[in-house]
Amino acid sequence: MKRILLALLGIIAAYLIFYPAPIEPAALNWPEMEPHESTTMPAIEVLFPRTCQDCEDISVVDNYLYTGHGDGRLLRFPLAGGDRLTEMVQFKGRPLGLEVLGDSLAWVCVEQEGLARVDLRNRTYEIVVNSYNDTTFQLIDYLDVAADGDVYFTDASDKFSDDDLQYDVLEGRPNGALYRYNVASGTTDRLMDNLYFANGVVVAPDESYVLVAETAGFRIQKYWLSGPRAGSSEIFIEGLPGWPDGISLSSDGLIYVTLISPRIAMHNFILPRPWTRRLVTKLPKFFLPKPVKANRILALDNQGAIIHDWADDNPVFSSISSIERIGNTLYLGTLDEAGVGRISLK
């Protein structure tokens, strides 16, 4: 029996050493900001828990909340109460980032399909773009619509799809990009590439710049659209205490950021050591690191300074992937839980 056990251990060791990994990880040493004291996050009320699952992004228009269900449906809920829903369209892939404009038009990033323009009145949609030059979007992720109608969106990775997004984060290479779809001409421009899991997007009200979250880089970058620095980029905020996901601009002038999972000691250990990530990806996906169930939301001014910092280490609703402030209410999407979150700010 001992010989059999040793033989099995030898086989496992040989597999872990010699079998090729699905990633080619890079050594990373991301900076960390000085610890920032957070306040207790107000209680989250969970809306539509029976009818909304994996509803990653939300858009609130005229007392209706629109969101994309994990099964591919674009749904509309009344905010007056109850779970009554209206199915607007059924996509082939999972709807991720979205924005609704009035009662007739919506833009949606649809996994495995592309950027969708939705006719809400006829309840139809068309894919306007799904690639750029020789690059097919693997994980078209998040968007924001500028005042002129142009759509700014991210492809989180041009290498890995949603099924393998953990591989992209563990590989630690800049496979993401930021794009602009010109509605008038029907053309697409790549504004930034070499982004570390490009995610949330928000356009400045005066359209002078666009912000893009790099989830795997613990930072947000600013890309200048106009002025003397047009076409260049700079760090807006870095060293975040978690993985930034959704970002949005509120009427109060602040930029709201969701940290979908905190940065923990394990991350600081494995990121500079590629062999650890190469090793773990040879195991079944069940063993891959999972996001920590802890909530944190930041509100930043237009210089990247933290104005509000809310945290909850034992949430009843977590994996917050998007945020929208309407008056004194925050609405929250989630990557993998049931319902939509709502916080009332006193």
Side-chain angles (χ1 to χ4, degrees):
M1 179 62 70
K2 183 177 181 180
R3 289 182 178 179
I4 295 175
L5 180 59
L6 290 174
L8 288 175
L9 291 175
I11 293 171
I12 293 172
Y15 167 80
L16 292 176
I17 293 171
F18 297 109
Y19 191 81
I23 63 173
E24 288 295 332
L28 300 169
N29 288 283
W30 297 114
E32 290 186 85
M33 65 169 54
E34 290 295 321
H36 188 272
E37 185 176 354
S38 58
T39 58
T40 301
M41 185 175 295
I44 298 177
E45 176 188 6
V46 182
L47 309 176
F48 325 123
R50 296 190 300 273
T51 50
C52 197
Q53 179 66 45
D54 306 337
C55 294
E56 182 158 340
D57 196 11
I58 45 94
S59 184
V60 177
V61 178
D62 296 334
N63 293 316
Y64 287 100
L65 183 144
Y66 295 79
T67 187
H69 194 286
D71 64 9
R73 291 178 294 160
L74 177 64
L75 303 177
R76 184 183 72 186
F77 292 92
L79 289 175
D83 278 1
R84 181 167 44 92
L85 63 87
T86 302
E87 181 179 319
M88 307 308 292
V89 294
Q90 173 75 58
F91 298 109
K92 295 177 183 177
R94 178 181 176 181
L96 301 175
L98 61 92
E99 184 163 346
V100 176
L101 306 173
D103 63 356
S104 61
L105 174 65
W107 293 97
V108 184
C109 292
V110 186
E111 177 199 359
Q112 300 175 354
E113 288 195 78
L115 179 63
R117 176 165 45 204
V118 181
D119 184 329
L120 295 173
R121 291 175 179 170
N122 294 322
R123 299 186 186 179
T124 59
Y125 76 95
E126 63 172 326
I127 301 298
V128 297
V129 62
N130 62 5
S131 63
Y132 178 80
N133 291 343
D134 58 349
T135 301
T136 299
F137 303 143
Q138 292 294 321
L139 187 49
I140 186 169
D141 196 6
Y142 215 98
L143 64 80
D144 193 22
V145 181
D148 63 3
D150 287 350
V151 184
Y152 293 79
F153 66 95
T154 52
D155 183 30
S157 173
D158 60 15
K159 184 175 180 179
F160 297 99
S161 67
D162 188 49
D163 292 337
D164 295 322
L165 66 84
Q166 287 170 293
Y167 286 161
D168 190 273
V169 174
L170 288 168
E171 185 170 71
R173 294 189 182 274
N175 299 318
L178 170 68
Y179 296 89
R180 174 176 56 202
Y181 176 73
N182 187 300
V183 175
S185 66
T187 58
T188 302
D189 299 310
R190 182 161 56 196
L191 304 180
M192 297 179 70
D193 58 5
N194 296 318
L195 298 176
Y196 291 86
F197 204 91
N199 210 326
V201 184
V202 67
V203 183
D206 62 359
E207 299 181 41
S208 60
Y209 62 84
V210 57
L211 300 178
V212 56
E214 290 182 275
T215 300
F218 303 99
R219 67 186 183 185
I220 297 172
Q221 289 210 57
K222 174 189 285 187
Y223 179 87
W224 289 98
L225 299 171
S226 62
R229 289 174 286 181
S232 66
S233 63
E234 62 187 60
I235 301 298
F236 181 69
I237 187 171
E238 64 180 344
L240 290 168
W243 308 77
D245 196 329
I247 57 178
S248 66
L249 180 66
S250 174
S251 58
D252 62 5
L254 298 180
I255 298 150
Y256 287 77
V257 183
T258 69
L259 304 182
I260 197 164
S261 184
R263 183 174 179 174
I264 59 176
M266 181 191 69
H267 301 141
N268 294 332
F269 177 80
I270 68 173
L271 288 174
R273 298 171 176 85
W275 65 267
T276 61
R277 290 173 281 139
R278 187 181 294 112
L279 184 66
V280 76
T281 55
K282 295 182 183 183
L283 301 173
K285 287 186 177 180
F286 174 81
F287 293 99
L288 294 179
K290 304 291 191 302
V292 177
K293 297 292 186 179
N295 292 339
R296 196 155 181 181
I297 295 173
L298 307 178
L300 314 175
D301 66 16
N302 60 11
Q303 299 300 312
I306 299 174
I307 305 303
H308 301 297
D309 181 347
W310 296 292
D312 182 358
D313 292 334
N314 295 287
V316 296
F317 177 88
S318 63
S319 299
I320 297 173
S321 54
S322 61
I323 183 167
E324 186 168 339
R325 179 168 182 167
I326 305 295
N328 287 324
T329 303
L330 299 178
Y331 292 94
L332 312 170
T334 177
L335 178 67
D336 55 15
E337 294 204 3
V340 169
R342 181 167 65 185
I343 294 176
S344 294
L345 301 175
K346 304 299 184 181

